[in-house]
Amino acid sequence: MSQENLESVLQESRTFPPPREFSARAHIAGMDQYRRMYERSINDPEGFWAEAAEELHWFKRWDRVKDDSEKPFFKWFVGGKTNIAYNCIDRHLDDATANKAAIVWEGEPGEERVWTYRDLHRQVSRFANVLKQLGIRKGDSVAIYLPMIPELAAAVLACARIGAVHSVIFAGFSAESIRDRVIDANSKLVITGDGGWRRGKTLPLKDVVDEAVQGCDCVKNVLVVQRDPGQDPFPHQWTEGRDHWYHELAESVDRLCPCEEMDAEDMLFLLYTSGSTGKPKGIIHTTGGYMVYTYLTAKYVFDLKPEDVYWCTADVGWVTGHSYLLYGPLQNGATVVMYEGAPNWPDNARFWSIVEKHRVSVFYTAPTAIRAFMKWGDEWPQKHDLSSLRLLGTVGEPINPEAWMWYHTLIGGERCPIVDTWWQTETGGIMLTPLPGATPTKPGSATLPFFGVVPAVLDAEGNDARAGYLAIKEPWPGIFRGIYGDPQRYKDTYWCRWNGAYYFPGDGARVDEDGYFWIVGRVDDVVNVSGHRIGTAELESIYVEHPAVAESAVIGVPHEIKGQGLVAFVLLRGSTSDGSDDLRKELNELVVKKIGKFALPEKIIFSADLPKTRSGKIMRRLLRDIATGQALGNVTTLADPSVIESLKEKYSG
Ligand code: PRX
């Protein structure tokens, strides 16, 4: 968060109580009810979570709700057997939900497809049988690299149905990123598409996958979903024997596919995310705890009712798409809107036209999108009837009060509560959040903990502090079960502070006089660009692969729209400090090749030296000061203070 935002957050004193009409109909209707339920969830977590779990289907009831005997490796619903796809689909087939819309999809060019829960059952069962036909069995890992089309939902749920572990890879990642993930997860199958639409252009997904799986021995088959069956496919290459059209295999498989009975602790999915060091880590989520946690958070945070039309704008390639586009709302039997493309295609009002057309009532998006809408101007939302909206949400990064107020006024018509939800890939579901019918909100604060969550703001020694590190003191059902293949890294990263007593999410926070939490941003070397986590170490190691580069340091700087942007300081080999535009281009191409376009820096500064301590450690803090134009902090430990002046000149030059 920029200094400016930080200051406006520090001064923020406005409070918005939930509208009375909203509270009157809400699941959690006031602070008394919230406090009562919260106390219960903390004092009797096993009783609280057992009751939540009882709202769902289990083939066999659990023997124990929580097992923390091997902390920090937790188990939930030990001995229980269930299936999350059953709870998303089959559970709804016996009542009126069966014929209600489960997924309302809009393609970027404007097509529409609607799947009822019964349709979803058919689609997912068919998809699951195709997976089986390709030899996928319980426990196998399947990589999914698809655009935001309904088949993406079907593919994910089909894996869950047969107990295969899905590893969804956001369709903006490069071939090399896919390859790293496929190899790490040992995926046997990659599911992709012949294309999808983004800002008027098609995504050549199949080409990217072809490149990614070259030489990947683990991948036996590539399953290709045609975006527009019945029409000519997008241009693509084909490898006989390895590649299969989904629609061709789907013709001949059985229509029914029973759900695999999964142990509560069987792995449900892997999702790769950036850390502060080294390569991306495969975050492990298992079945039972994640299922109950996403179900209950979706129900209460979004106050879901049978008549709601719920739209989460996140891509399924990120955790928000997993938990709150698919698993959470579908377990609740909600109607979910799914949109394929860009928010500004064909014009800046696309999102609002979707809200109006589908009568969206609950809308969940990211602060970066809100800041872009603000910039585009008030006239775009004003062209549309947004009166169907009753609740708004944000996720992914701190929201500055100005953006919060704009969202509240222009989109929410001053009548919709806003839930600013703080959580992470690792937490599985929402951790800090207002409950919309209960919690008075303050612009920029994620307010209070969800049920069962015990947060604290601590100093390095573990004492309570007004400002410091965010910590979570007790396990919750949705907590990830570790990093795939690297239990030590799990301990080192998340349980490194306070003698391993509490979970350390990597965020800085502040707590105010009402006990409200204000997330300040990452305290590690992870930068949050438009809500996407990028490890600076990952970029740095890419730059040094270039023969002209000796060393580099990448930092996050405030960015008006993206929240944070990246700046790369690049030290060249030899005595030169001047990199050419060609070199800049080559470095950018390298990042696109290794990660994807979304990880490109705002600026590359070439330099003959970097500020270092006498022991040779790069002083990133000073680089940040230079980039933000702030007074320089302590420079006494610098080996060569003259470096700073030349960098300052270059930065502003
Ligand atoms: O820094 C926090 C920020 O996003 C990080 C988690 O990123 P990721 O795992 O990609 O998940 C994003 C979607 C859940 C956190 O460590 N973050 C997320 N939500 C908020 C936030 N920062 C401030 N306020 C939020 N509401």
Side-chain angles (χ1 to χ4, degrees), residues 1 271 273-274 283 318-321 324 364 367 394-399 419-427 429-430 432 444-446 470 503 505-508 518-524 526 528 531-533 564:
M1 186 179 272
L271 185 56
T273 187
S274 288
I283 299 297
W318 307 109
V319 75
T320 307
Y324 298 111
Y364 191 35
T394 73
V395 60
E397 27 161 352
I399 181 162
V419 288
D420 173 355
T421 62
W422 175 86
W423 59 293
Q424 310 179 292
T425 307
E426 292 88 338
T427 68
I430 293 167
L432 299 174
S445 171
L470 183 65
Y503 172 69
D507 278 345
W518 300 74
I519 305 298
V520 179
R522 304 287 308 190
V523 292
D524 52 7
V526 171
N528 197 329
H532 301 155
R533 267 160 75 166
Q564 283 190 294

Coordinates of all heavy atoms in Angstrom, one line a residue, residues 1 271 273-274 283 318-321 324 364 367 394-399 419-427 429-430 432 444-446 470 503 505-508 518-524 526 528 531-533 564, ligand 1:
M1 N 0.9 -1.2 0.0 CA 0.0 0.0 0.0 C 0.9 1.2 0.0 O 1.9 1.3 0.7 CB -0.9 0.0 1.3 CG -1.9 1.1 1.3 SD -2.9 1.0 2.8 CE -4.2 -0.1 2.2
L271 N -2.6 -25.8 -5.9 CA -2.7 -24.6 -6.6 C -1.3 -23.9 -6.3 O -0.9 -23.7 -5.2 CB -3.8 -23.7 -6.1 CG -4.1 -22.4 -6.8 CD1 -4.3 -22.6 -8.3 CD2 -5.3 -21.8 -6.2
T273 N 1.5 -21.1 -6.1 CA 1.5 -19.6 -5.8 C 2.9 -19.2 -5.5 O 3.8 -20.0 -5.2 CB 0.6 -19.3 -4.6 OG1 0.5 -17.9 -4.4 CG2 1.1 -19.9 -3.3
S274 N 3.2 -17.9 -5.7 CA 4.6 -17.4 -5.5 C 4.9 -17.2 -4.1 O 4.1 -16.8 -3.3 CB 4.7 -16.1 -6.2 OG 4.7 -16.3 -7.6
I283 N 0.4 -25.4 -3.3 CA -0.4 -25.3 -2.0 C -1.3 -26.5 -2.0 O -2.1 -26.7 -3.0 CB -1.1 -24.0 -1.9 CG1 -0.1 -22.8 -1.9 CG2 -2.1 -23.9 -0.8 CD1 0.8 -22.8 -0.7
W318 N -7.1 -18.7 -10.1 CA -6.6 -18.3 -8.8 C -7.5 -18.8 -7.7 O -8.6 -19.3 -8.0 CB -6.7 -16.7 -8.8 CG -6.0 -16.1 -9.9 CD1 -6.6 -15.4 -10.9 CD2 -4.6 -16.0 -10.2 NE1 -5.6 -14.9 -11.8 CE2 -4.4 -15.3 -11.3 CE3 -3.4 -16.5 -9.5 CZ2 -3.1 -15.0 -11.9 CZ3 -2.2 -16.3 -10.1 CH2 -2.0 -15.6 -11.2
V319 N -7.1 -18.7 -6.5 CA -7.8 -19.4 -5.4 C -9.3 -18.8 -5.3 O -10.2 -19.5 -4.9 CB -7.1 -19.3 -4.1 CG1 -7.1 -17.9 -3.5 CG2 -7.6 -20.4 -3.1
T320 N -9.4 -17.5 -5.6 CA -10.8 -16.9 -5.4 C -11.7 -17.6 -6.3 O -12.9 -17.9 -6.0 CB -10.7 -15.4 -5.7 OG1 -9.7 -14.9 -4.9 CG2 -12.1 -14.8 -5.4
G321 N -11.3 -18.0 -7.5 CA -12.1 -18.7 -8.5 C -12.4 -20.1 -8.0 O -13.5 -20.6 -8.2
Y324 N -14.7 -19.3 -4.4 CA -15.9 -18.5 -4.4 C -16.5 -18.2 -5.8 O -17.4 -17.4 -5.9 CB -15.6 -17.2 -3.7 CG -15.3 -17.5 -2.2 CD1 -14.0 -17.2 -1.7 CD2 -16.2 -18.0 -1.4 CE1 -13.7 -17.6 -0.4 CE2 -15.9 -18.4 -0.1 CZ -14.7 -18.2 0.4 OH -14.4 -18.5 1.7
Y364 N -18.7 -9.7 -6.4 CA -17.4 -9.9 -5.7 C -16.3 -9.6 -6.7 O -16.1 -10.3 -7.7 CB -17.3 -11.3 -5.2 CG -16.3 -11.7 -4.2 CD1 -15.8 -10.8 -3.2 CD2 -15.8 -13.0 -4.2 CE1 -14.9 -11.2 -2.3 CE2 -14.8 -13.4 -3.2 CZ -14.4 -12.5 -2.3 OH -13.4 -12.8 -1.4
P367 N -10.0 -4.9 -5.7 CA -9.8 -3.4 -5.7 C -9.1 -2.9 -7.0 O -9.5 -1.8 -7.4 CB -8.8 -3.3 -4.5 CG -9.2 -4.4 -3.6 CD -9.5 -5.5 -4.5
T394 N -15.0 -7.3 -1.9 CA -13.7 -7.1 -2.5 C -12.7 -8.2 -1.9 O -12.9 -8.6 -0.8 CB -13.1 -5.7 -2.3 OG1 -12.7 -5.6 -0.9 CG2 -14.0 -4.6 -2.7
V395 N -11.6 -8.4 -2.7 CA -10.6 -9.4 -2.3 C -9.3 -9.2 -3.0 O -9.3 -8.7 -4.2 CB -11.1 -10.8 -2.5 CG1 -11.4 -11.1 -4.0 CG2 -10.1 -11.9 -2.0
G396 N -8.3 -9.6 -2.4 CA -7.0 -9.7 -3.1 C -5.9 -8.7 -2.7 O -4.7 -9.0 -2.9
E397 N -6.3 -7.6 -2.2 CA -5.3 -6.6 -1.8 C -6.1 -5.5 -1.0 O -7.3 -5.5 -0.9 CB -4.7 -5.9 -3.1 CG -5.7 -5.9 -4.2 CD -5.4 -4.9 -5.3 OE1 -4.6 -4.1 -5.2 OE2 -6.2 -5.1 -6.3
P398 N -5.3 -4.7 -0.3 CA -5.9 -3.7 0.5 C -6.7 -2.7 -0.4 O -6.3 -2.4 -1.6 CB -4.8 -2.9 1.1 CG -3.6 -3.8 1.0 CD -3.8 -4.7 -0.2
I399 N -7.9 -2.3 0.0 CA -8.7 -1.4 -0.8 C -8.5 0.0 -0.2 O -8.7 0.2 1.1 CB -10.2 -1.8 -0.9 CG1 -10.9 -0.7 -1.8 CG2 -10.9 -2.0 0.4 CD1 -12.2 -1.2 -2.4
V419 N -18.3 -6.2 1.7 CA -17.5 -7.1 2.5 C -16.1 -7.1 1.9 O -15.8 -7.5 0.8 CB -18.1 -8.5 2.6 CG1 -19.3 -8.5 3.5 CG2 -18.4 -9.1 1.2
D420 N -15.1 -6.5 2.7 CA -13.7 -6.5 2.3 C -13.1 -7.8 2.9 O -13.0 -7.8 4.2 CB -13.1 -5.2 2.8 CG -11.6 -5.2 2.7 OD1 -11.0 -6.2 2.2 OD2 -11.0 -4.1 3.0
T421 N -12.8 -8.7 2.1 CA -12.5 -10.1 2.7 C -11.0 -10.3 2.5 O -10.4 -10.3 1.5 CB -13.2 -11.2 1.8 OG1 -12.8 -11.1 0.5 CG2 -14.7 -11.0 1.9
W422 N -10.3 -10.5 3.7 CA -8.9 -10.8 3.7 C -8.7 -12.4 3.8 O -9.3 -13.0 4.7 CB -8.2 -10.2 4.8 CG -6.7 -10.6 4.8 CD1 -5.7 -10.1 4.1 CD2 -6.2 -11.8 5.5 NE1 -4.5 -10.8 4.3 CE2 -4.8 -11.8 5.2 CE3 -6.7 -12.7 6.4 CZ2 -3.9 -12.8 5.7 CZ3 -5.9 -13.7 6.9 CH2 -4.5 -13.8 6.5
W423 N -8.0 -12.9 2.9 CA -7.6 -14.3 3.0 C -6.5 -14.6 2.0 O -6.0 -13.7 1.4 CB -8.8 -15.2 2.8 CG -9.6 -15.1 1.5 CD1 -10.3 -14.0 1.1 CD2 -9.7 -16.1 0.5 NE1 -10.9 -14.3 -0.2 CE2 -10.5 -15.6 -0.6 CE3 -9.2 -17.4 0.3 CZ2 -10.8 -16.3 -1.7 CZ3 -9.5 -18.1 -0.9 CH2 -10.3 -17.5 -1.8
Q424 N -6.1 -15.9 1.8 CA -5.0 -16.2 1.0 C -5.2 -17.6 0.3 O -6.1 -18.4 0.8 CB -3.7 -16.4 1.8 CG -3.4 -15.3 2.7 CD -2.1 -15.6 3.5 OE1 -2.2 -16.5 4.4 NE2 -1.1 -14.9 3.3
T425 N -4.4 -17.9 -0.7 CA -4.4 -19.2 -1.3 C -4.3 -20.3 -0.2 O -5.0 -21.3 -0.1 CB -3.3 -19.4 -2.3 OG1 -3.3 -18.3 -3.2 CG2 -3.3 -20.7 -3.0
E426 N -3.4 -20.0 0.8 CA -3.1 -20.9 1.9 C -4.3 -21.1 2.8 O -4.4 -22.2 3.4 CB -1.9 -20.4 2.7 CG -0.6 -20.5 1.9 CD -0.3 -19.2 1.1 OE1 -1.3 -18.5 0.8 OE2 0.8 -18.9 0.8
T427 N -5.1 -20.1 3.0 CA -6.1 -20.2 4.0 C -7.4 -20.9 3.5 O -8.3 -21.2 4.3 CB -6.6 -18.8 4.6 OG1 -7.2 -18.1 3.6 CG2 -5.4 -18.0 5.1
G429 N -10.1 -20.2 2.5 CA -11.3 -19.4 2.4 C -11.1 -18.1 3.2 O -10.0 -17.9 3.8
I430 N -12.2 -17.3 3.3 CA -12.2 -16.0 3.9 C -11.9 -16.1 5.4 O -12.5 -16.9 6.1 CB -13.5 -15.3 3.6 CG1 -13.6 -15.0 2.1 CG2 -13.6 -14.0 4.4 CD1 -15.0 -14.6 1.6
L432 N -10.8 -12.8 7.5 CA -11.2 -11.6 8.1 C -12.2 -11.0 7.2 O -12.0 -10.9 6.0 CB -10.0 -10.6 8.2 CG -8.9 -11.1 9.1 CD1 -7.7 -10.0 9.0 CD2 -9.3 -11.2 10.6
G444 N -11.7 0.4 4.0 CA -10.3 0.0 4.0 C -10.0 -1.0 5.1 O -8.8 -1.5 5.1
S445 N -10.9 -1.4 5.9 CA -10.7 -2.4 6.9 C -11.4 -3.7 6.6 O -12.6 -3.7 6.2 CB -11.2 -1.9 8.3 OG -11.1 -2.9 9.2
A446 N -10.7 -4.8 6.7 CA -11.3 -6.1 6.6 C -12.1 -6.5 7.9 O -12.6 -7.6 8.0 CB -10.3 -7.2 6.2
L470 N 0.6 -9.8 11.1 CA -0.7 -10.5 11.3 C -0.3 -12.0 11.7 O 0.6 -12.6 11.1 CB -1.5 -10.5 10.1 CG -2.9 -11.2 10.1 CD1 -3.8 -10.4 11.1 CD2 -3.5 -11.2 8.8
Y503 N 0.3 -19.4 13.0 CA 0.5 -19.3 11.6 C 0.9 -17.8 11.2 O 0.2 -16.9 11.6 CB -0.9 -19.7 10.9 CG -0.9 -19.4 9.4 CD1 -0.1 -20.2 8.6 CD2 -1.7 -18.4 8.9 CE1 -0.1 -20.0 7.2 CE2 -1.7 -18.2 7.5 CZ -0.9 -19.0 6.7 OH -0.9 -18.7 5.3
P505 N 1.0 -15.4 8.1 CA 0.6 -15.3 6.7 C 1.5 -14.4 5.8 O 1.3 -14.5 4.6 CB -0.8 -14.6 6.8 CG -1.1 -14.4 8.3 CD 0.2 -14.6 9.0
G506 N 2.4 -13.7 6.4 CA 3.3 -12.8 5.6 C 2.7 -11.4 5.4 O 3.3 -10.7 4.5
D507 N 1.7 -11.1 6.1 CA 1.1 -9.7 6.0 C 1.4 -8.9 7.2 O 1.4 -9.4 8.3 CB -0.4 -9.8 5.7 CG -0.8 -10.1 4.3 OD1 0.1 -10.0 3.4 OD2 -1.9 -10.5 4.0
G508 N 1.5 -7.6 7.0 CA 1.5 -6.6 8.1 C 0.1 -6.1 8.3 O -0.7 -6.1 7.4
W518 N -6.8 -3.9 10.0 CA -6.4 -3.2 8.7 C -5.2 -3.8 8.2 O -4.1 -3.8 8.8 CB -6.2 -1.7 9.1 CG -7.3 -1.0 9.7 CD1 -7.7 -1.1 11.0 CD2 -8.2 0.0 9.1 NE1 -8.8 -0.3 11.2 CE2 -9.1 0.4 10.1 CE3 -8.3 0.5 7.8 CZ2 -10.1 1.3 9.8 CZ3 -9.3 1.5 7.6 CH2 -10.2 1.8 8.6
I519 N -5.3 -4.4 7.0 CA -4.2 -5.1 6.4 C -3.3 -4.0 5.7 O -3.9 -3.3 4.8 CB -4.6 -6.2 5.4 CG1 -5.6 -7.2 6.1 CG2 -3.4 -6.9 4.8 CD1 -5.0 -7.9 7.2
V520 N -2.1 -4.0 5.9 CA -1.2 -3.0 5.3 C -0.5 -3.5 4.1 O -0.3 -2.8 3.1 CB -0.1 -2.6 6.4 CG1 0.8 -1.5 5.8 CG2 -0.8 -2.0 7.6
G521 N -0.3 -4.8 4.0 CA 0.3 -5.4 2.8 C 1.4 -6.4 3.2 O 1.6 -6.7 4.4
R522 N 2.1 -7.0 2.2 CA 3.0 -8.0 2.5 C 4.2 -7.5 3.2 O 4.7 -6.4 3.0 CB 3.5 -8.7 1.2 CG 2.4 -9.2 0.3 CD 1.8 -10.5 0.8 NE 2.7 -11.5 1.1 CZ 2.4 -12.8 1.4 NH1 1.1 -13.1 1.3 NH2 3.3 -13.7 1.7
V523 N 4.8 -8.3 4.1 CA 6.0 -7.9 4.8 C 7.2 -8.8 4.3 O 8.3 -8.7 4.8 CB 5.9 -8.1 6.3 CG1 4.9 -7.0 6.9 CG2 5.5 -9.5 6.7
D524 N 6.9 -9.7 3.3 CA 8.0 -10.4 2.8 C 8.3 -9.9 1.4 O 7.8 -8.9 1.0 CB 7.6 -11.9 2.8 CG 6.3 -12.2 2.1 OD1 5.7 -11.2 1.5 OD2 5.8 -13.3 2.1
V526 N 7.2 -10.6 -1.4 CA 6.1 -10.9 -2.4 C 5.4 -9.6 -2.7 O 5.1 -8.8 -1.8 CB 5.1 -11.9 -1.7 CG1 3.9 -12.1 -2.6 CG2 5.8 -13.2 -1.5
N528 N 2.2 -7.7 -4.6 CA 0.8 -8.0 -5.0 C 0.4 -7.1 -6.2 O 0.0 -5.9 -6.0 CB -0.1 -7.7 -3.8 CG -1.4 -8.4 -3.9 OD1 -1.9 -8.5 -5.1 ND2 -2.0 -8.8 -2.9
G531 N -3.6 -7.8 -7.5 CA -4.1 -9.0 -6.8 C -3.4 -10.3 -7.1 O -3.7 -11.3 -6.6
H532 N -2.3 -10.2 -8.0 CA -1.6 -11.4 -8.3 C -0.3 -11.4 -7.5 O 0.5 -10.4 -7.6 CB -1.3 -11.5 -9.8 CG -2.5 -11.5 -10.6 ND1 -2.5 -11.1 -11.9 CD2 -3.8 -11.9 -10.4 CE1 -3.7 -11.2 -12.4 NE2 -4.5 -11.7 -11.5
R533 N 0.0 -12.5 -6.9 CA 1.2 -12.6 -6.1 C 2.4 -12.9 -6.9 O 2.4 -13.9 -7.6 CB 1.1 -13.7 -5.0 CG 0.5 -13.2 -3.8 CD 0.0 -14.4 -3.0 NE 1.0 -15.2 -2.4 CZ 0.8 -16.1 -1.5 NH1 -0.5 -16.3 -1.1 NH2 1.7 -16.8 -1.0
Q564 N 0.1 -2.4 -6.6 CA 1.6 -2.4 -6.6 C 2.0 -2.7 -8.0 O 1.4 -3.5 -8.8 CB 2.1 -3.4 -5.7 CG 2.1 -3.0 -4.2 CD 2.9 -4.0 -3.4 OE1 2.6 -5.1 -3.2 NE2 4.0 -3.5 -2.8
Ligands
PRX1 O1 -1.4 -9.7 1.1 C1 -2.7 -10.3 1.2 C2 -3.5 -9.9 0.0 O2 -3.3 -11.0 -0.9 C3 -2.5 -12.0 -0.3 C4 -3.0 -13.4 -0.7 O3 -2.8 -13.6 -2.1 P1 -3.4 -14.8 -2.8 O4 -2.9 -16.0 -2.1 O5 -3.1 -14.7 -4.2 O6 -4.9 -14.8 -2.6 C5 -5.7 -13.7 -3.1 C6 -7.1 -13.9 -2.9 C7 -7.6 -14.5 -1.6 C8 -2.6 -11.8 1.2 O7 -1.5 -12.3 1.9 N1 -4.9 -9.8 0.3 C9 -5.9 -10.6 0.0 N2 -7.1 -10.1 0.4 C10 -6.8 -8.9 1.0 C11 -5.5 -8.7 0.9 N3 -4.9 -7.6 1.4 C12 -5.7 -6.7 2.0 N4 -7.0 -6.8 2.1 C13 -7.7 -7.9 1.6 N5 -9.0 -8.0 1.6

